[in-house]
């Protein structure tokens, strides 16, 4: 009887041992609020609608920025008046996104044309671990030229910032669609 008791007792203690496994690391699920857009009221050479979760920072009229604090991102805008230099401005606007080519997997372009408001441009989406995920330019080809670039204040890890990149791309497209020259 002692043999059976010892056997059951030892199998009870040895059978209840579980191997502790660490959980795999994962990224947080990020849910962002539905976008509410508001027209910019400052006196700039252009107007557009922006997402109300962004804070507008205007240090100079030619260089406003939209700060997305909860995403640790900023959309920098730079306005330039055209003075017989459209070719060089366009050349620079096309070269800047391709400076990220060493880190980018691809850089698809989206052409934008709004004939009614005389706004034409291109949105560059940099796919990969680059410093800037979206860059764009808008122009009327005569007087106005606007360049924009989105930067995150985090190490460029495309997989982890992808939800924010997707969310902010919609804001950039909305800005491009609602832009009007003054």
């Amino acid at each position: 009887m002692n043999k059976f008791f010892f056997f059951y007792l030892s199998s009870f203690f040895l059978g209840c041992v579980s191997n502790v496994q660490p959980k795999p690391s994962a990224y947080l699920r990020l849910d962002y609020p539905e976008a509410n857009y508001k027209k910019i009221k400052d006196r700039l050479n252009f107007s557009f609608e922006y997402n109300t979760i962004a804070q507008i920072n205007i240090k100079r009229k030619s260089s406003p920025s939209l700060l997305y604090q909860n995403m640790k991102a900023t959309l920098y805008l730079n306005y330039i008046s055209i003075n017989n230099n459209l070719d060089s401005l366009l050349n620079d606007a096309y070269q800047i996104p391709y400076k990220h080519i060493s880190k980018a997997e691809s850089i698809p372009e989206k052409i934008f044309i709004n004939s009614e408001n005389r706004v034409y441009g291109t949105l560059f989406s940099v796919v990969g671990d680059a410093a800037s995920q979206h860059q764009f330019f808008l122009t009327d080809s005569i007087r106005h030229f606007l360049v924009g670039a989105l930067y995150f204040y985090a190490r460029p890890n495309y997989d982890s910032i992808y939800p924010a990149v997707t969310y902010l791309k919609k804001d950039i497209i909305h800005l491009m669609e609602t832009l009007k020259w003054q």
Side-chain angles (χ1 to χ4, degrees):
M1 181 90 167
N2 280 344
K3 289 181 182 180
F4 291 114
F5 179 72
F6 180 70
F7 174 73
Y8 286 119
L9 187 62
S10 63
S11 66
F12 175 74
F13 285 114
L14 293 175
C16 292
V17 175
S18 65
N19 292 334
V20 178
Q21 300 263 337
K23 293 183 179 181
S25 59
Y27 295 107
L28 296 174
R29 178 179 171 177
L30 303 172
D31 290 323
Y32 299 112
E34 187 174 328
N36 291 321
Y37 294 102
K38 178 179 170 182
K39 189 172 184 175
I40 191 167
K41 294 183 180 179
D42 292 306
R43 294 184 182 186
L44 301 171
N45 293 324
F46 53 93
S47 66
F48 60 89
E49 292 182 3
Y50 68 96
N51 192 336
T52 56
I53 68 167
Q55 295 176 350
I56 296 180
N57 184 7
I58 301 176
K59 291 182 181 174
R60 293 186 352 224
K61 281 188 168 188
S62 63
S63 302
S65 59
L66 298 173
L67 176 64
Y68 294 85
Q69 285 186 329
N70 62 337
M71 296 179 214
K72 296 183 179 177
T74 300
L75 178 62
Y76 294 97
L77 303 173
N78 191 20
Y79 174 83
I80 304 162
S81 293
I82 297 175
N83 295 318
N84 293 326
N85 59 346
L86 180 61
D87 289 341
S88 65
L89 292 172
L90 286 171
N91 188 33
D92 290 346
Y94 273 95
Q95 284 183 1
I96 291 171
Y98 289 97
K99 289 183 179 181
H100 301 285
I101 197 73
S102 64
K103 296 285 185 177
E105 295 173 20
S106 66
I107 304 178
E109 300 175 12
K110 181 176 181 176
I111 306 297
F112 179 77
I113 299 172
N114 182 343
S115 301
E116 182 179 325
N117 293 327
R118 296 182 332 263
V119 180
Y120 313 97
T122 302
L123 172 64
F124 303 93
S125 300
V126 181
V127 178
D129 295 338
S132 176
Q133 266 54 52
H134 294 296
Q135 297 186 5
F136 66 92
F137 73 87
L138 297 169
T139 185
D140 68 349
S141 302
I142 300 169
R143 294 180 44 213
H144 307 286
F145 198 86
L146 181 70
V147 180
L150 176 67
Y151 286 91
F152 287 90
Y153 299 105
R155 183 178 213 167
N157 184 349
Y158 190 71
D159 292 340
S160 63
I161 62 172
Y162 182 75
V165 169
T166 304
Y167 183 84
L168 293 176
K169 182 177 182 180
K170 293 175 189 173
D171 282 359
I172 293 170
I173 290 172
H174 189 83
L175 181 151
M176 294 173 78
E177 291 174 344
T178 60
L179 187 112
K180 293 181 182 176
W181 307 112
Q182 301 295 340

